[in-house]
Amino acid sequence: MSDPNPTPARSHERPPVYVVGGGPGGLAAAAGLKAHGVRAVVLEKSDRVGASWRGHYDRLHLHTTRRLSALPGLPMPRRFGRWVSRDNVVRYLEKYAEYHDLEVVTGVEVTRVDRAPDGAGWVLRASGGRELTATAVVVATGYNHTPRLPDWPGTVSFTGQLLHASEYRSPAPYAGRDVLVVGVGNTGAEIAVDLTEGGAARVRLAVRTAPHIVRRSTLGWPAQLTGILCRRLPVRLVDRLAVPLGKLSVPDLTAQGLPRPGTGLYSRVREGSIPVQDVGLIDAVRSGKVEPVAAVESFDGADVVLSDGTRLTPDTVIAATGYRQGLEPLVGHLDVLDPATGRPRPHGTRTLPSAPGLYFTGYTNPISGMFREMALDADRIGKAVAKGA
């Protein structure tokens, strides 16, 4: 690891491009910049790269294939298998930084990004009173940055255990317990299955909006490839095609409390709702091991009150209710964030005229796979910065 700004820049030297975040998006961007002859320095607030991946639950595997999840310049090893585990993702990120000899500085948290006083370049305020000057900045602090817990009434007085899915690691602590998982995205679905296999006495899954469920792979054809192809087709066409395909591949779970959604698959994707890739949820619901219930409305002492009036008394509630990107302190003052979602309005090589040289990567959740899109972004950002240098 090196100092982020080891020596004052001489008048003929250009400051580096700083990449904020040492996860897959940040490392890929740094490698893309380096490949195009641009010096990039990665600033990571934790003590190691891939910090967010290290904190995910034990069971997690990529839902995208190994071959289509590699970052630029380094394939993922075949021994990792088709669906790469959390631990192997971490190993890959460590090897990636080493293989490309990236300049990674750990233990440095960037707290604010400002335009340079002369309007040419950027100034980063960081921990330890650092002020770092950059020709350009790539923000890659991650899509799953800040856990989001709904403001349910009564949570303060709830006598059971309430935690966000970001705190869940394995089913062992919940063996023999009654657990309610809230949220039926990929995380909630996978945690629910993990709990049933790990010995929880009862597992219920609170569902506000019925999800689209797809097989991770059908006859060897991964859902990711279908997602890549769909991105080039009209939304209405994909919605229509998805209906018969869904009926063929996924059984009707209406009788078990999980009806087919009433809105189109790709329309939901465009709104930010990715289909649930089945890693056991279908069988768990059909067998009654996971019981879908109505959405959570409030808490009342030991009870959880659902939207249909049902009252449950679980031992533990695990809220798989998503994340915020948490970018407001860093760049909120630059008018680059969508006020409704908090996500960057520019992305990839797109920048705003009011913020030239400020790039964002990894803030979409595409049906074609996040790792794949971050890899494409990395090369494009490298080319764009090199061209403007």
Side-chain angles (χ1 to χ4, degrees), residues 285-327:
V285 170
R286 292 179 76 180
S287 65
K289 293 178 180 178
V290 171
E291 307 168 52
V293 296
V296 171
E297 287 296 312
S298 63
F299 290 73
D300 182 14
D303 292 349
V304 178
V305 183
L306 305 183
S307 60
D308 62 0
T310 302
R311 299 175 78 93
L312 309 178
T313 310
D315 300 310
T316 300
V317 177
I318 300 175
T321 47
Y323 295 80
R324 294 182 294 104
Q325 283 65 61
L327 290 168

Side-chain angles (χ1 to χ4, degrees), residues 167-189:
E167 301 174 71
Y168 178 86
R169 294 294 176 271
S170 76
Y174 312 99
R177 296 174 69 84
D178 182 333
V179 185
L180 173 66
V181 180
V182 184
V184 69
N186 278 293
T187 297

Side-chain angles (χ1 to χ4, degrees), residues 48-104:
R48 294 175 293 181
V49 299
S52 64
W53 270 91
R54 297 174 192 276
H56 288 315
Y57 50 93
D58 297 347
R59 179 193 180 97
L60 182 64
H61 285 66
L62 287 177
H63 291 158
T64 53
T65 67
R66 181 192 74 252
R67 292 184 62 188
L68 293 174
S69 301
L71 301 179
L74 184 65
M76 288 188 173
R78 289 176 63 102
R79 68 178 183 277
F80 285 180
R82 195 180 198 194
W83 312 106
V84 182
S85 70
R86 176 204 64 184
D87 290 347
N88 280 334
V89 169
V90 171
R91 291 186 183 100
Y92 175 72
L93 296 178
E94 291 173 337
K95 182 63 177 178
Y96 192 83
E98 177 188 343
Y99 178 83
H100 287 292
D101 193 23
L102 301 179
E103 291 187 63
V104 180

Side-chain angles (χ1 to χ4, degrees), residues 133-154:
T133 302
T135 54
V137 177
V138 181
V139 179
T141 52
Y143 187 86
N144 296 337
H145 186 272
T146 305
R148 185 180 69 83
L149 195 65
D151 188 20
W152 289 304

Side-chain angles (χ1 to χ4, degrees), residues 146-213:
T146 305
R148 185 180 69 83
L149 195 65
D151 188 20
W152 289 304
T155 55
V156 174
S157 59
F158 179 54
T159 58
Q161 179 187 25
L162 172 63
L163 64 149
H164 189 270
S166 60
E167 301 174 71
Y168 178 86
R169 294 294 176 271
S170 76
Y174 312 99
R177 296 174 69 84
D178 182 333
V179 185
L180 173 66
V181 180
V182 184
V184 69
N186 278 293
T187 297
E190 193 157 352
I191 287 176
V193 172
D194 200 31
L195 287 163
T196 65
E197 295 177 356
R202 189 173 190 179
V203 179
R204 285 173 283 201
L205 184 60
V207 180
R208 183 170 297 279
T209 304
H212 285 276
I213 303 175

